[in-house]
Amino acid sequence: MPKPVTDLIHHPYQPPAGFAAPQPGVHKASTVIFPNVAAIRSRDWRQKKGYTYGLHGTPTTFVLEERIAALEGGRHCILVPSGLAAIAHVNLALLSAGDEILLPDNVYGPSKALAEGELKNWGITHQLYDPMDPADLERRIGPKTKLVWIEAPGSVTMEFGPVAHFAHICRSRGVTVALDNTWGAGLAFNGFDFGQGDRSVPGSGADIVVHALTKYPSGGGDVLMGSIVTRDEALHQKMKLAHMRLGWGVAGNDAELLLRSLPSLDVRYRAHDRAARQLARWLQARAEIVQVLHPALEGSPGHAHWKAMCGADGLAAGLFSVVFDERHAPERVEAFCDALKLFKLGYSWGGPVSLAVPYDIPSMRSAALGTWKHKGVLVRFSVGLEDVEDLQADLAQALGALHGPG
Ligand SMILES: *Cc1c(COP(=O)(O)O)cnc(C)c1O
């Protein structure tokens, strides 16, 4: 008879199989136990037919991967520990020294930093392109161009570029296209089939769709995770091989939180959208603001592209920015931000708490491209799930602080 302390580890009791509940089980493992040596020899970490090691998946991460692939309209999904890791992974899996990538000038900031840092150190160059100009993108594609990143809209300045046109150009030049689909969350448009409803063209979108699950899929502001979704089997195998070599892992408990949040993704996204549009329209009428940047609003840059991709009654994320009139000095705009009570100051978006961040856009953009014309300070808002009248009152009282004691 084993001693009790051994039984704490190797107890013979096995719970009955067939347990069913609304949420899938949470499995956590580094080691996966094989029934015999033949199983060790025959199991293939590339296939989802068995388990080999925690890094290569558990029942919990496999379920999450399948749901994210379905959300994005793809076939295969790989999970990594953050949205930025997903971007890095695509670059690492596809690029070699001597290659070049193209990034829109309004790309998610750390993606630019990766290109200026590690990618450059490894002999991979990049160019920035005008996020609104297909001719500019086309001009920059050369023999070294291996990968073009697209993103619509930019998540701070909110221009919605002609991404369908961009993808078409890349396809005709034989260049792989990767989309950062965090804003659309798989709901506003399909990352693989651009166009909209009956008029979407199969395969006209990206080859690879990455998503910061940290944002709307998590919805709690408490999990970091990223996904890489593909349709093409060969492309997926490249991603999978790089994933095995690089050793990204996601925790079972984090996957569990995502699985808990996904069923409410659609209703949350619509609620964030509704509230954000109401606040954005209200701010449009305020004299302090020269421009409200929200792609679903008439007069916002790329509104027509948003309409073509998402539909006239289409969805948008609960994210928008405002540009203050330049007569309001940066210190006054900071006083406005500090005066906000329900809106908290912080990065990221997609959670229940409304957030605001002031940005110095000229320092983030290419002076040579000259794609940013405004002089005033920009503040980006992520609208949470609080009552929208309360949020509007918060903005109104903080605008008082803008004029402030001086
Ligand atoms: C937040 C974000 C990312 C990165 O996600 P993390 O999980 O924070 O690393 C990438 N792209 C966009 C558009 C984002 O908003």
Side-chain angles (χ1 to χ4, degrees), residues 12-28:
Y13 175 77
Q14 292 294 324
F19 176 76
Q23 295 302 324
V26 184
H27 295 267
K28 299 187 282 185

Side-chain angles (χ1 to χ4, degrees), residues 13 42 48 78 145 190 200 215 217 232-233 246 283-284 293 297 300 320 337 340 343 358 365 391 396 405:
Y13 175 77
S42 67
K48 281 192 183 159
I78 287 173
T145 316
N190 184 309
S200 73
K215 307 289 166 56
D232 181 75
E233 177 68 29
L246 290 168
L283 282 164
Q284 261 182 332
L293 299 156
L297 260 57
S300 195
F320 70 93
C337 292
L340 290 165
F343 280 88
R365 300 291 277 257
L391 291 175

Side-chain angles (χ1 to χ4, degrees), residues 59-79:
T60 308
T61 60
F62 282 3
V63 169
L64 180 55
E65 285 171 0
E66 293 304 308
R67 291 185 185 185
I68 298 295
L71 171 70
E72 303 279 15
R75 282 199 197 99
H76 312 283
C77 172
I78 287 173
L79 299 173

Side-chain angles (χ1 to χ4, degrees), residues 61 68 83 158 218 328:
T61 60
I68 298 295
M158 308 307 294
S218 150
H328 301 296

Side-chain angles (χ1 to χ4, degrees), residues 82-84 87 108 151 155 180 182 212 214-215 224 349:
S82 71
L84 182 55
I87 294 168
Y108 177 65
E151 189 175 331
S155 63
D180 183 334
T182 305
T214 306
K215 307 289 166 56
L224 290 154
W349 32 283

Side-chain angles (χ1 to χ4, degrees), residues 68-254:
I68 298 295
L71 171 70
E72 303 279 15
R75 282 199 197 99
H76 312 283
C77 172
I78 287 173
L79 299 173
V80 291
S82 71
L84 182 55
I87 294 168
H89 186 81
V90 171
N91 287 323
L92 296 186
L94 296 183
L95 304 173
S96 319
D99 291 343
E100 182 161 276
I101 62 168
L102 302 182
L103 303 173
D105 194 28
N106 61 356
V107 72
Y108 177 65
S111 178
K112 218 184 245 186
L114 174 65
E116 288 163 355
E118 277 68 15
L119 296 188
K120 178 165 174 256
N121 295 344
W122 297 333
I124 297 156
T125 57
H126 75 283
Q127 285 189 60
L128 300 171
Y129 66 89
D130 183 334
M132 302 303 280
D133 183 4
D136 186 62
L137 172 69
E138 181 139 44
R139 187 160 54 236
R140 292 174 193 281
I141 294 178
K144 290 167 43 172
T145 316
K146 280 285 151 54
L147 179 65
V148 171
W149 282 93
I150 58 176
E151 189 175 331
S155 63
V156 176
T157 45
M158 308 307 294
E159 318 91 325
F160 203 109
V163 283
H165 197 161
F166 290 158
H168 174 76
I169 291 168
C170 295
R171 186 151 293 105
S172 69
R173 302 286 294 268
V175 178
T176 303
V177 181
L179 165 73
D180 183 334
N181 201 23
T182 305
W183 179 92
L187 299 172
F189 59 87
N190 184 309
F192 294 94
D193 305 326
F194 285 171
Q196 181 253 318
D198 297 343
R199 288 182 291 110
S200 73
V201 182
S204 61
D207 303 294
I208 303 163
V209 176
V210 309
H211 192 162
L213 304 179
T214 306
K215 307 289 166 56
Y216 290 112
S218 150
D222 56 354
V223 186
L224 290 154
M225 204 180 291
S227 58
I228 301 146
V229 174
T230 47
R231 277 185 181 169
D232 181 75
E233 177 68 29
L235 200 48
H236 169 66
Q237 285 306 330
K238 259 191 202 174
M239 294 295 147
K240 185 82 182 150
L241 194 60
H243 187 264
M244 182 277 282
R245 290 169 178 154
L246 290 168
W248 305 113
V250 303
N253 290 118
D254 286 349

